Amino acid sequence: MNAEIKELEKKAIQLRRRVFQLVYESKTGHTGSSLSCTDILTALYYSIMAVDPEDPENDARDRYIQSKGHAVEILWAILADKGFIEEEELKTFSAFNSRLIGHPNNQVAGVEMNTGSLGHGLAVATGIALAAKMDEKKYQTYTLLGDGELAEGSVWEAAMAASNYKLDNLTAIIDHNGLQITGATTDVMNSDPLSDKWRAFGWHVIEVDGNNIEALIQAFNSRENIGQPKMIIANTIKGKGVSFAEGIAAWHHKVPSQEQYEQALLEFDKRLEELEDE
Ligand SMILES: [Mg+2]
């Protein structure tokens, strides 16, 4: 593992630790959903995207829309770590009158769009990417969808439009953990064969291990999608990084007990120590 990737892996564990603390202390949160996409957001915010907490509205910034808005704990943890919000404010997560509510809120610097009502992010990201083309702007637009979210018909209207307008400045990522709030996506609303569907809609599709930061960075940096929007199908594990939460649908929205919290912190610390030796 090269030094840059190792630092990013460590960052992802520290962020997972912060997510777990936030959920435990506020007694609410989409724990498994946030841990699932932590590596994707770590790659985006610490390696790929040009965003500046000192100048969050800069017109040249890359745009990120978290369509699966419920996994907000990881977004707040990153925005605080990068300096878009104060660490003190992060402690108010989900408290009465806090701006840091249970879904992304565009009153907060660094948040482009209020999301959480599923199925809207890709359409807005498509519009933003189209605007960049029309205005001859160089910024890239990224959006993260859940796999359960694919049951929303509006996702597929946007998929068709993005390819129609040849938006090769748009990258969508599916957090493909195979689970949603009520169970397996294959049982609730089967979206397989996923890659074939997106290819049929005219997208350039890359499938990666979505908990492998190095593979994610490679997929983000790939420039083979000339004249096509890019879809990264990120195969992930819901609850990744906490042994008792991995692959369990019930952890979609669940608060750990004190014992579970302490065990998770031990697991994060152990993984950090292991990484030091790798
Ligand atoms: Mg899912």
Side-chain angles (χ1 to χ4, degrees):
M1 193 184 299
N2 74 38
E4 186 207 340
I5 298 296
K6 191 169 175 170
E7 284 311 303
L8 292 173
E9 295 275 356
K10 281 159 69 177
K11 177 64 76 180
I13 294 166
Q14 288 154 354
L15 290 167
R16 284 189 163 92
R17 201 178 202 285
R18 194 71 190 92
V19 164
F20 227 76
Q21 281 174 328
L22 276 179
V23 172
Y24 180 70
E25 283 163 10
S26 63
K27 302 297 176 214
T28 183
H30 286 89
T31 317
S33 314
S34 280
L35 298 179
S36 175
C37 61
T38 296
D39 301 302
I40 299 167
L41 267 71
T42 302
L44 274 174
Y45 274 94
Y46 296 89
S47 178
I48 299 296
M49 286 199 299
V51 289
D52 181 3
E54 300 299 321
D55 190 8
E57 301 284 315
N58 189 311
D59 194 44
R61 73 190 183 281
D62 289 331
R63 271 64 163 177
Y64 170 69
I65 291 179
Q66 187 160 312
S67 196
K68 54 169 285 182
H70 52 279
V72 76
E73 297 80 10
I74 182 60
L75 184 63
W76 293 148
I78 287 175
L79 292 181
D81 183 58
K82 293 199 75 92
F84 285 91
I85 50 183
E86 298 290 331
E87 180 61 30
E88 274 307 301
E89 185 175 10
L90 187 59
K91 292 176 186 162
T92 70
F93 169 61
S94 265
F96 183 62
N97 273 342
S98 173
R99 300 188 306 162
L100 307 182
I101 55 175
H103 290 87
N105 166 15
N106 68 3
Q107 300 299 304
V108 178
V111 176
E112 302 283 348
M113 176 188 173
N114 294 348
T115 49
S117 188
L118 295 170
H120 298 175
L122 185 59
V124 174
T126 296
I128 292 172
L130 179 57
K133 290 276 184 191
M134 294 170 79
D135 296 341
E136 297 182 356
K137 297 283 173 64
K138 296 290 178 211
Y139 65 79
Q140 296 285 313
T141 302
Y142 300 89
T143 183
L144 176 68
L145 289 78
D147 50 3
E149 185 179 2
L150 302 179
E152 301 281 354
S154 50
V155 170
W156 301 97
E157 294 181 40
M160 193 156 55
S163 133
N164 181 69
Y165 293 112
K166 302 181 171 39
L167 300 180
D168 50 14
N169 56 350
L170 171 65
T171 299
I173 311 104
I174 293 174
D175 183 1
H176 189 217
N177 55 34
L179 294 171
Q180 59 194 98
I181 190 164
T182 51
T185 51
T186 47
D187 294 334
V188 180
M189 185 61 75
N190 189 3
S191 56
D192 291 339
L194 199 49
S195 296
D196 291 346
K197 280 199 173 93
W198 287 90
R199 280 196 194 94
F201 273 76
W203 287 60
H204 179 79
V205 179
I206 304 173
E207 241 187 289
V208 294
D209 176 349
N211 294 123
N212 180 326
I213 292 175
E214 193 167 18
L216 284 161
I217 289 174
Q218 214 171 12
F220 281 121
N221 282 332
S222 152
R223 289 284 173 264
E224 289 169 15
N225 60 313
I226 296 162
Q228 286 182 297
K230 187 197 291 186
M231 167 53 72
I232 298 176
I233 296 177
N235 296 315
T236 54
I237 294 171
K238 196 155 189 151
K240 175 74 178 176
V242 177
S243 61
F244 54 85
E246 286 191 357
I248 308 288
W251 277 93
H252 178 90
H253 188 280
K254 189 173 164 72
V255 177
S257 66
Q258 189 185 337
E259 293 72 26
Q260 288 170 326
Y261 175 63
E262 285 165 5
Q263 188 188 332
L265 295 192
L266 287 175
E267 291 184 18
F268 295 133
D269 290 345
K270 182 162 176 276
R271 184 67 193 123
L272 276 173
E273 274 174 35
E274 285 169 359
L275 265 172
E276 290 292 351
D277 299 335
E278 278 177 20

